[in-house]
PDB file of all heavy atoms in Angstrom:
ATOM      1  N   SER K  23       0.845  -1.198  -0.004  1.00 98.00           N
ATOM      2  CA  SER K  23       0.028   0.004  -0.005  1.00 98.00           C
ATOM      3  C   SER K  23       0.880   1.255   0.017  1.00 98.00           C
ATOM      4  O   SER K  23       2.036   1.219   0.580  1.00 98.00           O
ATOM      5  CB  SER K  23      -0.929   0.012   1.188  1.00 98.00           C
ATOM      6  OG  SER K  23      -1.704   1.202   1.233  1.00 98.00           O
ATOM      7  N   THR K  24       0.335   2.294  -0.688  1.00 98.00           N
ATOM      8  CA  THR K  24       1.054   3.609  -0.554  1.00 98.00           C
ATOM      9  C   THR K  24       0.943   4.203   0.863  1.00 98.00           C
ATOM     10  O   THR K  24       1.657   5.124   1.225  1.00 98.00           O
ATOM     11  CB  THR K  24       0.439   4.593  -1.545  1.00 98.00           C
ATOM     12  OG1 THR K  24      -0.997   4.698  -1.356  1.00 98.00           O
ATOM     13  CG2 THR K  24       0.726   4.168  -2.994  1.00 98.00           C
ATOM     14  N   LEU K  25       0.020   3.640   1.705  1.00 98.00           N
ATOM     15  CA  LEU K  25      -0.042   3.950   3.072  1.00 98.00           C
ATOM     16  C   LEU K  25       0.451   2.739   3.873  1.00 98.00           C
ATOM     17  O   LEU K  25      -0.259   1.758   4.076  1.00 98.00           O
ATOM     18  CB  LEU K  25      -1.471   4.299   3.531  1.00 98.00           C
ATOM     19  CG  LEU K  25      -2.178   5.360   2.722  1.00 98.00           C
ATOM     20  CD1 LEU K  25      -3.575   5.594   3.220  1.00 98.00           C
ATOM     21  CD2 LEU K  25      -1.407   6.660   2.774  1.00 98.00           C
ATOM     22  N   PRO K  26       1.703   2.693   4.227  1.00 97.00           N
ATOM     23  CA  PRO K  26       2.358   1.488   4.725  1.00 97.00           C
ATOM     24  C   PRO K  26       1.659   0.844   5.912  1.00 97.00           C
ATOM     25  O   PRO K  26       1.705  -0.384   6.098  1.00 97.00           O
ATOM     26  CB  PRO K  26       3.853   1.976   5.137  1.00 97.00           C
ATOM     27  CG  PRO K  26       3.994   3.192   4.330  1.00 97.00           C
ATOM     28  CD  PRO K  26       2.650   3.831   4.179  1.00 97.00           C
ATOM     29  N   TRP K  27       1.052   1.618   6.755  1.00 97.00           N
ATOM     30  CA  TRP K  27       0.396   1.082   7.982  1.00 97.00           C
ATOM     31  C   TRP K  27      -0.849   0.285   7.619  1.00 97.00           C
ATOM     32  O   TRP K  27      -1.411  -0.441   8.443  1.00 97.00           O
ATOM     33  CB  TRP K  27       0.022   2.208   8.965  1.00 97.00           C
ATOM     34  CG  TRP K  27      -0.687   3.387   8.307  1.00 97.00           C
ATOM     35  CD1 TRP K  27      -2.033   3.539   8.166  1.00 97.00           C
ATOM     36  CD2 TRP K  27      -0.048   4.509   7.792  1.00 97.00           C
ATOM     37  NE1 TRP K  27      -2.272   4.739   7.542  1.00 97.00           N
ATOM     38  CE2 TRP K  27      -1.127   5.383   7.272  1.00 97.00           C
ATOM     39  CE3 TRP K  27       1.274   4.937   7.616  1.00 97.00           C
ATOM     40  CZ2 TRP K  27      -0.815   6.573   6.661  1.00 97.00           C
ATOM     41  CZ3 TRP K  27       1.537   6.140   6.994  1.00 97.00           C
ATOM     42  CH2 TRP K  27       0.507   6.937   6.560  1.00 97.00           C
ATOM     43  N   ARG K  28      -1.320   0.363   6.329  1.00 97.00           N
ATOM     44  CA  ARG K  28      -2.460  -0.472   5.915  1.00 97.00           C
ATOM     45  C   ARG K  28      -2.051  -1.908   5.641  1.00 97.00           C
ATOM     46  O   ARG K  28      -2.867  -2.852   5.656  1.00 97.00           O
ATOM     47  CB  ARG K  28      -3.031   0.080   4.653  1.00 97.00           C
ATOM     48  CG  ARG K  28      -3.531   1.521   4.678  1.00 97.00           C
ATOM     49  CD  ARG K  28      -4.915   1.550   5.250  1.00 97.00           C
ATOM     50  NE  ARG K  28      -5.592   2.792   4.911  1.00 97.00           N
ATOM     51  CZ  ARG K  28      -6.344   3.488   5.777  1.00 97.00           C
ATOM     52  NH1 ARG K  28      -6.500   3.025   6.984  1.00 97.00           N
ATOM     53  NH2 ARG K  28      -6.905   4.579   5.417  1.00 97.00           N
ATOM     54  N   GLU K  29      -0.793  -2.130   5.386  1.00 97.00           N
ATOM     55  CA  GLU K  29      -0.321  -3.458   4.997  1.00 97.00           C
ATOM     56  C   GLU K  29      -0.455  -4.488   6.144  1.00 97.00           C
ATOM     57  O   GLU K  29      -0.337  -4.138   7.330  1.00 97.00           O
ATOM     58  CB  GLU K  29       1.184  -3.397   4.617  1.00 97.00           C
ATOM     59  CG  GLU K  29       1.366  -2.547   3.303  1.00 97.00           C
ATOM     60  CD  GLU K  29       2.824  -2.408   2.902  1.00 97.00           C
ATOM     61  OE1 GLU K  29       3.719  -2.848   3.601  1.00 97.00           O
ATOM     62  OE2 GLU K  29       3.094  -1.743   1.850  1.00 97.00           O
ATOM     63  N   SER K  30      -0.887  -5.656   5.733  1.00 96.00           N
ATOM     64  CA  SER K  30      -1.212  -6.809   6.578  1.00 96.00           C
ATOM     65  C   SER K  30      -2.576  -6.666   7.271  1.00 96.00           C
ATOM     66  O   SER K  30      -2.980  -7.505   8.030  1.00 96.00           O
ATOM     67  CB  SER K  30      -0.132  -7.012   7.673  1.00 96.00           C
ATOM     68  OG  SER K  30       1.113  -7.363   7.018  1.00 96.00           O
ATOM     69  N   ARG K  31      -3.297  -5.523   7.002  1.00 96.00           N
ATOM     70  CA  ARG K  31      -4.621  -5.349   7.566  1.00 96.00           C
ATOM     71  C   ARG K  31      -5.715  -5.691   6.543  1.00 96.00           C
ATOM     72  O   ARG K  31      -5.448  -5.822   5.350  1.00 96.00           O
ATOM     73  CB  ARG K  31      -4.775  -3.918   8.007  1.00 96.00           C
ATOM     74  CG  ARG K  31      -3.832  -3.468   9.145  1.00 96.00           C
ATOM     75  CD  ARG K  31      -4.010  -2.017   9.486  1.00 96.00           C
ATOM     76  NE  ARG K  31      -5.426  -1.575   9.691  1.00 96.00           N
ATOM     77  CZ  ARG K  31      -5.751  -0.322   9.847  1.00 96.00           C
ATOM     78  NH1 ARG K  31      -4.889   0.597   9.823  1.00 96.00           N
ATOM     79  NH2 ARG K  31      -7.050  -0.077  10.051  1.00 96.00           N
ATOM     80  N   ARG K  32      -6.912  -5.830   7.070  1.00 96.00           N
ATOM     81  CA  ARG K  32      -8.041  -6.171   6.175  1.00 96.00           C
ATOM     82  C   ARG K  32      -8.454  -4.831   5.487  1.00 96.00           C
ATOM     83  O   ARG K  32      -8.392  -3.745   6.067  1.00 96.00           O
ATOM     84  CB  ARG K  32      -9.249  -6.613   7.005  1.00 96.00           C
ATOM     85  CG  ARG K  32     -10.512  -6.850   6.190  1.00 96.00           C
ATOM     86  CD  ARG K  32     -11.664  -7.373   7.121  1.00 96.00           C
ATOM     87  NE  ARG K  32     -12.911  -7.373   6.480  1.00 96.00           N
ATOM     88  CZ  ARG K  32     -13.380  -8.415   5.701  1.00 96.00           C
ATOM     89  NH1 ARG K  32     -12.665  -9.474   5.540  1.00 96.00           N
ATOM     90  NH2 ARG K  32     -14.584  -8.340   5.163  1.00 96.00           N
ATOM     91  N   LEU K  33      -8.826  -4.954   4.216  1.00 97.00           N
ATOM     92  CA  LEU K  33      -9.319  -3.760   3.478  1.00 97.00           C
ATOM     93  C   LEU K  33     -10.671  -3.270   4.057  1.00 97.00           C
ATOM     94  O   LEU K  33     -11.647  -4.033   4.049  1.00 97.00           O
ATOM     95  CB  LEU K  33      -9.520  -4.143   1.988  1.00 97.00           C
ATOM     96  CG  LEU K  33     -10.023  -3.025   1.097  1.00 97.00           C
ATOM     97  CD1 LEU K  33      -8.963  -1.902   0.942  1.00 97.00           C
ATOM     98  CD2 LEU K  33     -10.484  -3.608  -0.245  1.00 97.00           C
ATOM     99  N   ASP K  34     -10.667  -2.070   4.619  1.00 95.00           N
ATOM    100  CA  ASP K  34     -11.858  -1.562   5.191  1.00 95.00           C
ATOM    101  C   ASP K  34     -13.049  -1.530   4.270  1.00 95.00           C
ATOM    102  O   ASP K  34     -14.203  -1.702   4.613  1.00 95.00           O
ATOM    103  CB  ASP K  34     -11.602  -0.204   5.803  1.00 95.00           C
ATOM    104  CG  ASP K  34     -10.615  -0.228   6.953  1.00 95.00           C
ATOM    105  OD1 ASP K  34     -10.474  -1.286   7.585  1.00 95.00           O
ATOM    106  OD2 ASP K  34      -9.958   0.858   7.231  1.00 95.00           O
ATOM    107  N   PHE K  35     -12.787  -1.125   3.040  1.00 96.00           N
ATOM    108  CA  PHE K  35     -13.815  -0.967   2.038  1.00 96.00           C
ATOM    109  C   PHE K  35     -14.631  -2.303   1.828  1.00 96.00           C
ATOM    110  O   PHE K  35     -15.798  -2.246   1.508  1.00 96.00           O
ATOM    111  CB  PHE K  35     -13.187  -0.526   0.710  1.00 96.00           C
ATOM    112  CG  PHE K  35     -14.263  -0.143  -0.306  1.00 96.00           C
ATOM    113  CD1 PHE K  35     -14.999   0.976  -0.153  1.00 96.00           C
ATOM    114  CD2 PHE K  35     -14.442  -0.931  -1.465  1.00 96.00           C
ATOM    115  CE1 PHE K  35     -15.945   1.347  -1.178  1.00 96.00           C
ATOM    116  CE2 PHE K  35     -15.334  -0.609  -2.414  1.00 96.00           C
ATOM    117  CZ  PHE K  35     -16.106   0.543  -2.269  1.00 96.00           C
ATOM    118  N   ALA K  36     -13.983  -3.466   2.030  1.00 95.00           N
ATOM    119  CA  ALA K  36     -14.703  -4.739   1.927  1.00 95.00           C
ATOM    120  C   ALA K  36     -15.850  -4.823   2.882  1.00 95.00           C
ATOM    121  O   ALA K  36     -16.852  -5.552   2.606  1.00 95.00           O
ATOM    122  CB  ALA K  36     -13.754  -5.919   2.123  1.00 95.00           C
ATOM    123  N   ASN K  37     -15.790  -4.079   3.996  1.00 93.00           N
ATOM    124  CA  ASN K  37     -16.891  -4.088   4.991  1.00 93.00           C
ATOM    125  C   ASN K  37     -18.072  -3.180   4.566  1.00 93.00           C
ATOM    126  O   ASN K  37     -19.091  -3.194   5.177  1.00 93.00           O
ATOM    127  CB  ASN K  37     -16.324  -3.681   6.364  1.00 93.00           C
ATOM    128  CG  ASN K  37     -15.296  -4.577   6.833  1.00 93.00           C
ATOM    129  OD1 ASN K  37     -15.282  -5.804   6.600  1.00 93.00           O
ATOM    130  ND2 ASN K  37     -14.324  -4.028   7.584  1.00 93.00           N
ATOM    131  N   GLU K  38     -17.819  -2.385   3.554  1.00 94.00           N
ATOM    132  CA  GLU K  38     -18.835  -1.387   3.115  1.00 94.00           C
ATOM    133  C   GLU K  38     -19.723  -1.877   2.009  1.00 94.00           C
ATOM    134  O   GLU K  38     -20.658  -1.218   1.602  1.00 94.00           O
ATOM    135  CB  GLU K  38     -18.191  -0.086   2.697  1.00 94.00           C
ATOM    136  CG  GLU K  38     -17.336   0.554   3.826  1.00 94.00           C
ATOM    137  CD  GLU K  38     -16.791   1.905   3.366  1.00 94.00           C
ATOM    138  OE1 GLU K  38     -17.407   2.565   2.451  1.00 94.00           O
ATOM    139  OE2 GLU K  38     -15.742   2.304   3.841  1.00 94.00           O
ATOM    140  N   ILE K  39     -19.417  -3.104   1.444  1.00 95.00           N
ATOM    141  CA  ILE K  39     -20.209  -3.539   0.319  1.00 95.00           C
ATOM    142  C   ILE K  39     -20.923  -4.905   0.659  1.00 95.00           C
ATOM    143  O   ILE K  39     -20.350  -5.679   1.513  1.00 95.00           O
ATOM    144  CB  ILE K  39     -19.289  -3.736  -0.903  1.00 95.00           C
ATOM    145  CG1 ILE K  39     -18.123  -4.682  -0.643  1.00 95.00           C
ATOM    146  CG2 ILE K  39     -18.853  -2.408  -1.455  1.00 95.00           C
ATOM    147  CD1 ILE K  39     -17.208  -4.862  -1.845  1.00 95.00           C
ATOM    148  N   VAL K  40     -22.029  -5.103   0.048  1.00 94.00           N
ATOM    149  CA  VAL K  40     -22.725  -6.388   0.248  1.00 94.00           C
ATOM    150  C   VAL K  40     -23.237  -6.876  -1.084  1.00 94.00           C
ATOM    151  O   VAL K  40     -23.310  -6.146  -2.086  1.00 94.00           O
ATOM    152  CB  VAL K  40     -23.923  -6.208   1.239  1.00 94.00           C
ATOM    153  CG1 VAL K  40     -23.511  -5.909   2.623  1.00 94.00           C
ATOM    154  CG2 VAL K  40     -24.884  -5.155   0.705  1.00 94.00           C
ATOM    155  N   VAL K  41     -23.565  -8.140  -1.148  1.00 94.00           N
ATOM    156  CA  VAL K  41     -24.194  -8.723  -2.351  1.00 94.00           C
ATOM    157  C   VAL K  41     -25.663  -8.314  -2.373  1.00 94.00           C
ATOM    158  O   VAL K  41     -26.391  -8.529  -1.355  1.00 94.00           O
ATOM    159  CB  VAL K  41     -24.079 -10.254  -2.353  1.00 94.00           C
ATOM    160  CG1 VAL K  41     -24.758 -10.875  -3.547  1.00 94.00           C
ATOM    161  CG2 VAL K  41     -22.572 -10.669  -2.371  1.00 94.00           C
ATOM    162  N   ASP K  42     -26.086  -7.822  -3.521  1.00 89.00           N
ATOM    163  CA  ASP K  42     -27.460  -7.369  -3.711  1.00 89.00           C
ATOM    164  C   ASP K  42     -27.936  -7.881  -5.034  1.00 89.00           C
ATOM    165  O   ASP K  42     -27.439  -7.395  -6.083  1.00 89.00           O
ATOM    166  CB  ASP K  42     -27.553  -5.842  -3.624  1.00 89.00           C
ATOM    167  CG  ASP K  42     -29.031  -5.368  -3.658  1.00 89.00           C
ATOM    168  OD1 ASP K  42     -29.871  -6.151  -3.510  1.00 89.00           O
ATOM    169  OD2 ASP K  42     -29.192  -4.122  -3.830  1.00 89.00           O
ATOM    170  N   ALA K  43     -28.877  -8.889  -5.009  1.00 84.00           N
ATOM    171  CA  ALA K  43     -29.257  -9.534  -6.251  1.00 84.00           C
ATOM    172  C   ALA K  43     -28.038 -10.237  -6.872  1.00 84.00           C
ATOM    173  O   ALA K  43     -27.340 -10.989  -6.170  1.00 84.00           O
ATOM    174  CB  ALA K  43     -29.948  -8.604  -7.198  1.00 84.00           C
ATOM    175  N   ASP K  44     -27.725  -9.929  -8.077  1.00 84.00           N
ATOM    176  CA  ASP K  44     -26.583 -10.512  -8.697  1.00 84.00           C
ATOM    177  C   ASP K  44     -25.415  -9.530  -8.849  1.00 84.00           C
ATOM    178  O   ASP K  44     -24.516  -9.772  -9.685  1.00 84.00           O
ATOM    179  CB  ASP K  44     -26.939 -11.067 -10.127  1.00 84.00           C
ATOM    180  CG  ASP K  44     -27.896 -12.230 -10.072  1.00 84.00           C
ATOM    181  OD1 ASP K  44     -27.753 -13.038  -9.155  1.00 84.00           O
ATOM    182  OD2 ASP K  44     -28.792 -12.321 -10.901  1.00 84.00           O
ATOM    183  N   SER K  45     -25.434  -8.533  -8.040  1.00 89.00           N
ATOM    184  CA  SER K  45     -24.317  -7.562  -8.012  1.00 89.00           C
ATOM    185  C   SER K  45     -23.972  -7.163  -6.622  1.00 89.00           C
ATOM    186  O   SER K  45     -24.276  -7.879  -5.660  1.00 89.00           O
ATOM    187  CB  SER K  45     -24.781  -6.346  -8.889  1.00 89.00           C
ATOM    188  OG  SER K  45     -23.713  -5.512  -9.081  1.00 89.00           O
ATOM    189  N   VAL K  46     -23.337  -6.017  -6.435  1.00 93.00           N
ATOM    190  CA  VAL K  46     -22.925  -5.525  -5.085  1.00 93.00           C
ATOM    191  C   VAL K  46     -23.498  -4.164  -4.909  1.00 93.00           C
ATOM    192  O   VAL K  46     -23.839  -3.445  -5.897  1.00 93.00           O
ATOM    193  CB  VAL K  46     -21.407  -5.531  -4.945  1.00 93.00           C
ATOM    194  CG1 VAL K  46     -20.847  -6.922  -5.032  1.00 93.00           C
ATOM    195  CG2 VAL K  46     -20.758  -4.605  -5.973  1.00 93.00           C
ATOM    196  N   ALA K  47     -23.608  -3.744  -3.674  1.00 92.00           N
ATOM    197  CA  ALA K  47     -24.214  -2.471  -3.336  1.00 92.00           C
ATOM    198  C   ALA K  47     -23.601  -1.983  -1.986  1.00 92.00           C
ATOM    199  O   ALA K  47     -22.935  -2.778  -1.281  1.00 92.00           O
ATOM    200  CB  ALA K  47     -25.738  -2.587  -3.177  1.00 92.00           C
ATOM    201  N   PRO K  48     -23.734  -0.670  -1.669  1.00 94.00           N
ATOM    202  CA  PRO K  48     -23.197  -0.190  -0.395  1.00 94.00           C
ATOM    203  C   PRO K  48     -24.024  -0.817   0.701  1.00 94.00           C
ATOM    204  O   PRO K  48     -25.254  -0.967   0.670  1.00 94.00           O
ATOM    205  CB  PRO K  48     -23.352   1.291  -0.510  1.00 94.00           C
ATOM    206  CG  PRO K  48     -24.434   1.511  -1.532  1.00 94.00           C
ATOM    207  CD  PRO K  48     -24.265   0.428  -2.491  1.00 94.00           C
ATOM    208  N   ARG K  49     -23.323  -1.147   1.831  1.00 92.00           N
ATOM    209  CA  ARG K  49     -23.999  -1.744   2.946  1.00 92.00           C
ATOM    210  C   ARG K  49     -24.946  -0.742   3.636  1.00 92.00           C
ATOM    211  O   ARG K  49     -26.050  -1.083   4.081  1.00 92.00           O
ATOM    212  CB  ARG K  49     -22.979  -2.229   3.993  1.00 92.00           C
ATOM    213  CG  ARG K  49     -23.544  -2.925   5.229  1.00 92.00           C
ATOM    214  CD  ARG K  49     -22.476  -3.421   6.120  1.00 92.00           C
ATOM    215  NE  ARG K  49     -21.757  -4.493   5.474  1.00 92.00           N
ATOM    216  CZ  ARG K  49     -22.128  -5.801   5.454  1.00 92.00           C
ATOM    217  NH1 ARG K  49     -23.274  -6.108   6.095  1.00 92.00           N
ATOM    218  NH2 ARG K  49     -21.425  -6.724   4.833  1.00 92.00           N
ATOM    219  N   LYS K  50     -24.581   0.517   3.644  1.00 90.00           N
ATOM    220  CA  LYS K  50     -25.420   1.544   4.226  1.00 90.00           C
ATOM    221  C   LYS K  50     -25.670   2.625   3.149  1.00 90.00           C
ATOM    222  O   LYS K  50     -24.955   2.840   2.263  1.00 90.00           O
ATOM    223  CB  LYS K  50     -24.670   2.217   5.420  1.00 90.00           C
ATOM    224  CG  LYS K  50     -24.405   1.285   6.572  1.00 90.00           C
ATOM    225  CD  LYS K  50     -23.677   1.993   7.704  1.00 90.00           C
ATOM    226  CE  LYS K  50     -23.372   1.083   8.842  1.00 90.00           C
ATOM    227  NZ  LYS K  50     -22.600   1.781   9.939  1.00 90.00           N
ATOM    228  N   PRO K  51     -26.869   3.326   3.328  1.00 87.00           N
ATOM    229  CA  PRO K  51     -27.133   4.381   2.342  1.00 87.00           C
ATOM    230  C   PRO K  51     -26.004   5.398   2.275  1.00 87.00           C
ATOM    231  O   PRO K  51     -25.414   5.716   3.293  1.00 87.00           O
ATOM    232  CB  PRO K  51     -28.439   5.027   2.906  1.00 87.00           C
ATOM    233  CG  PRO K  51     -29.028   3.918   3.776  1.00 87.00           C
ATOM    234  CD  PRO K  51     -27.918   3.121   4.299  1.00 87.00           C
ATOM    235  N   SER K  52     -25.761   5.934   1.121  1.00 86.00           N
ATOM    236  CA  SER K  52     -24.689   6.843   0.939  1.00 86.00           C
ATOM    237  C   SER K  52     -25.078   7.985  -0.014  1.00 86.00           C
ATOM    238  O   SER K  52     -25.847   7.756  -0.942  1.00 86.00           O
ATOM    239  CB  SER K  52     -23.453   6.146   0.330  1.00 86.00           C
ATOM    240  OG  SER K  52     -22.428   7.032   0.042  1.00 86.00           O
ATOM    241  N   ARG K  53     -24.551   9.181   0.271  1.00 87.00           N
ATOM    242  CA  ARG K  53     -24.820  10.321  -0.595  1.00 87.00           C
ATOM    243  C   ARG K  53     -23.910  10.235  -1.826  1.00 87.00           C
ATOM    244  O   ARG K  53     -24.121  10.937  -2.825  1.00 87.00           O
ATOM    245  CB  ARG K  53     -24.599  11.613   0.177  1.00 87.00           C
ATOM    246  CG  ARG K  53     -25.630  11.881   1.308  1.00 87.00           C
ATOM    247  CD  ARG K  53     -25.350  13.184   1.888  1.00 87.00           C
ATOM    248  NE  ARG K  53     -26.342  13.494   2.970  1.00 87.00           N
ATOM    249  CZ  ARG K  53     -26.329  14.594   3.733  1.00 87.00           C
ATOM    250  NH1 ARG K  53     -25.419  15.497   3.505  1.00 87.00           N
ATOM    251  NH2 ARG K  53     -27.261  14.740   4.698  1.00 87.00           N
ATOM    252  N   LYS K  54     -22.961   9.380  -1.769  1.00 91.00           N
ATOM    253  CA  LYS K  54     -22.031   9.245  -2.931  1.00 91.00           C
ATOM    254  C   LYS K  54     -22.709   8.405  -3.961  1.00 91.00           C
ATOM    255  O   LYS K  54     -23.547   7.567  -3.667  1.00 91.00           O
ATOM    256  CB  LYS K  54     -20.766   8.675  -2.460  1.00 91.00           C
ATOM    257  CG  LYS K  54     -19.971   9.462  -1.455  1.00 91.00           C
ATOM    258  CD  LYS K  54     -18.648   8.851  -1.008  1.00 91.00           C
ATOM    259  CE  LYS K  54     -17.986   9.650   0.077  1.00 91.00           C
ATOM    260  NZ  LYS K  54     -16.710   9.065   0.516  1.00 91.00           N
ATOM    261  N   ARG K  55     -22.278   8.529  -5.189  1.00 94.00           N
ATOM    262  CA  ARG K  55     -22.853   7.804  -6.313  1.00 94.00           C
ATOM    263  C   ARG K  55     -22.052   6.488  -6.508  1.00 94.00           C
ATOM    264  O   ARG K  55     -20.890   6.489  -6.871  1.00 94.00           O
ATOM    265  CB  ARG K  55     -22.805   8.621  -7.561  1.00 94.00           C
ATOM    266  CG  ARG K  55     -23.460   7.959  -8.740  1.00 94.00           C
ATOM    267  CD  ARG K  55     -23.565   8.972  -9.949  1.00 94.00           C
ATOM    268  NE  ARG K  55     -24.146   8.325 -11.102  1.00 94.00           N
ATOM    269  CZ  ARG K  55     -23.448   7.831 -12.091  1.00 94.00           C
ATOM    270  NH1 ARG K  55     -22.150   7.784 -12.021  1.00 94.00           N
ATOM    271  NH2 ARG K  55     -24.066   7.273 -13.131  1.00 94.00           N
ATOM    272  N   TRP K  56     -22.692   5.368  -6.221  1.00 94.00           N
ATOM    273  CA  TRP K  56     -22.133   4.076  -6.385  1.00 94.00           C
ATOM    274  C   TRP K  56     -22.503   3.486  -7.714  1.00 94.00           C
ATOM    275  O   TRP K  56     -23.667   3.596  -8.211  1.00 94.00           O
ATOM    276  CB  TRP K  56     -22.581   3.099  -5.299  1.00 94.00           C
ATOM    277  CG  TRP K  56     -21.889   3.322  -3.984  1.00 94.00           C
ATOM    278  CD1 TRP K  56     -21.937   4.455  -3.242  1.00 94.00           C
ATOM    279  CD2 TRP K  56     -21.121   2.385  -3.245  1.00 94.00           C
ATOM    280  NE1 TRP K  56     -21.257   4.309  -2.049  1.00 94.00           N
ATOM    281  CE2 TRP K  56     -20.707   2.983  -2.012  1.00 94.00           C
ATOM    282  CE3 TRP K  56     -20.681   1.080  -3.471  1.00 94.00           C
ATOM    283  CZ2 TRP K  56     -19.964   2.367  -1.065  1.00 94.00           C
ATOM    284  CZ3 TRP K  56     -19.907   0.464  -2.533  1.00 94.00           C
ATOM    285  CH2 TRP K  56     -19.560   1.081  -1.358  1.00 94.00           C
ATOM    286  N   SER K  57     -21.625   2.740  -8.382  1.00 94.00           N
ATOM    287  CA  SER K  57     -21.917   1.994  -9.589  1.00 94.00           C
ATOM    288  C   SER K  57     -21.051   0.826  -9.716  1.00 94.00           C
ATOM    289  O   SER K  57     -19.876   0.839  -9.266  1.00 94.00           O
ATOM    290  CB  SER K  57     -21.836   2.886 -10.873  1.00 94.00           C
ATOM    291  OG  SER K  57     -20.525   3.455 -10.934  1.00 94.00           O
ATOM    292  N   THR K  58     -21.580  -0.238 -10.338  1.00 95.00           N
ATOM    293  CA  THR K  58     -20.826  -1.447 -10.627  1.00 95.00           C
ATOM    294  C   THR K  58     -20.564  -1.418 -12.092  1.00 95.00           C
ATOM    295  O   THR K  58     -21.422  -1.685 -12.949  1.00 95.00           O
ATOM    296  CB  THR K  58     -21.514  -2.700 -10.255  1.00 95.00           C
ATOM    297  OG1 THR K  58     -21.864  -2.632  -8.858  1.00 95.00           O
ATOM    298  CG2 THR K  58     -20.675  -3.956 -10.454  1.00 95.00           C
ATOM    299  N   LEU K  59     -19.283  -1.013 -12.508  1.00 95.00           N
ATOM    300  CA  LEU K  59     -18.987  -0.872 -13.905  1.00 95.00           C
ATOM    301  C   LEU K  59     -18.869  -2.278 -14.616  1.00 95.00           C
ATOM    302  O   LEU K  59     -19.134  -2.383 -15.769  1.00 95.00           O
ATOM    303  CB  LEU K  59     -17.712  -0.182 -14.094  1.00 95.00           C
ATOM    304  CG  LEU K  59     -17.680   1.346 -13.754  1.00 95.00           C
ATOM    305  CD1 LEU K  59     -16.355   1.971 -14.190  1.00 95.00           C
ATOM    306  CD2 LEU K  59     -18.814   2.064 -14.433  1.00 95.00           C
ATOM    307  N   MET K  60     -18.483  -3.286 -13.814  1.00 95.00           N
ATOM    308  CA  MET K  60     -18.301  -4.576 -14.398  1.00 95.00           C
ATOM    309  C   MET K  60     -18.465  -5.660 -13.318  1.00 95.00           C
ATOM    310  O   MET K  60     -18.020  -5.442 -12.186  1.00 95.00           O
ATOM    311  CB  MET K  60     -16.970  -4.720 -15.067  1.00 95.00           C
ATOM    312  CG  MET K  60     -16.630  -6.109 -15.648  1.00 95.00           C
ATOM    313  SD  MET K  60     -15.109  -5.975 -16.629  1.00 95.00           S
ATOM    314  CE  MET K  60     -15.573  -4.935 -17.979  1.00 95.00           C
ATOM    315  N   ASN K  61     -19.135  -6.721 -13.626  1.00 96.00           N
ATOM    316  CA  ASN K  61     -19.241  -7.881 -12.723  1.00 96.00           C
ATOM    317  C   ASN K  61     -19.428  -9.139 -13.563  1.00 96.00           C
ATOM    318  O   ASN K  61     -20.488  -9.307 -14.193  1.00 96.00           O
ATOM    319  CB  ASN K  61     -20.338  -7.686 -11.678  1.00 96.00           C
ATOM    320  CG  ASN K  61     -20.570  -9.003 -10.871  1.00 96.00           C
ATOM    321  OD1 ASN K  61     -19.566  -9.657 -10.579  1.00 96.00           O
ATOM    322  ND2 ASN K  61     -21.778  -9.292 -10.575  1.00 96.00           N
ATOM    323  N   SER K  62     -18.483 -10.001 -13.565  1.00 96.00           N
ATOM    324  CA  SER K  62     -18.589 -11.274 -14.236  1.00 96.00           C
ATOM    325  C   SER K  62     -18.551 -12.428 -13.285  1.00 96.00           C
ATOM    326  O   SER K  62     -18.379 -13.547 -13.671  1.00 96.00           O
ATOM    327  CB  SER K  62     -17.564 -11.422 -15.336  1.00 96.00           C
ATOM    328  OG  SER K  62     -16.225 -11.267 -14.879  1.00 96.00           O
ATOM    329  N   PHE K  63     -18.649 -12.074 -11.947  1.00 96.00           N
ATOM    330  CA  PHE K  63     -18.735 -13.159 -10.928  1.00 96.00           C
ATOM    331  C   PHE K  63     -20.183 -13.593 -10.851  1.00 96.00           C
ATOM    332  O   PHE K  63     -21.101 -12.802 -11.074  1.00 96.00           O
ATOM    333  CB  PHE K  63     -18.392 -12.627  -9.588  1.00 96.00           C
ATOM    334  CG  PHE K  63     -16.923 -12.403  -9.300  1.00 96.00           C
ATOM    335  CD1 PHE K  63     -16.218 -11.317  -9.809  1.00 96.00           C
ATOM    336  CD2 PHE K  63     -16.235 -13.387  -8.591  1.00 96.00           C
ATOM    337  CE1 PHE K  63     -14.875 -11.218  -9.572  1.00 96.00           C
ATOM    338  CE2 PHE K  63     -14.838 -13.280  -8.361  1.00 96.00           C
ATOM    339  CZ  PHE K  63     -14.216 -12.119  -8.832  1.00 96.00           C
ATOM    340  N   SER K  64     -20.410 -14.895 -10.634  1.00 94.00           N
ATOM    341  CA  SER K  64     -21.817 -15.366 -10.344  1.00 94.00           C
ATOM    342  C   SER K  64     -22.206 -14.886  -8.942  1.00 94.00           C
ATOM    343  O   SER K  64     -21.380 -14.530  -8.166  1.00 94.00           O
ATOM    344  CB  SER K  64     -21.869 -16.906 -10.486  1.00 94.00           C
ATOM    345  OG  SER K  64     -21.154 -17.461  -9.404  1.00 94.00           O
TER     346      SER K  64
END
């Protein structure tokens, strides 16, 4: 990581997303604009 103290830690952003239908979505409502540009995972 360009932020060395992040190394060996869990990616925090992974806790902010959830599976929604056949794609992913933010776990909590957000004022920011989320989009899934690509998803070829089942």
Side-chain angles (χ1 to χ4, degrees):
S23 178
T24 53
L25 305 180
W27 49 91
R28 301 275 200 222
E29 294 177 358
S30 299
R31 294 176 52 185
R32 177 180 170 88
L33 178 69
D34 295 338
F35 187 70
N37 300 327
E38 298 182 31
I39 56 179
V40 292
V41 176
D42 186 12
D44 292 325
S45 188
V46 297
R49 181 176 295 276
K50 297 179 180 179
S52 174
R53 294 183 179 179
K54 299 178 182 178
R55 183 172 180 266
W56 283 62
S57 57
T58 303
L59 291 187
M60 178 170 295
N61 173 35
S62 55
F63 283 80
S64 68

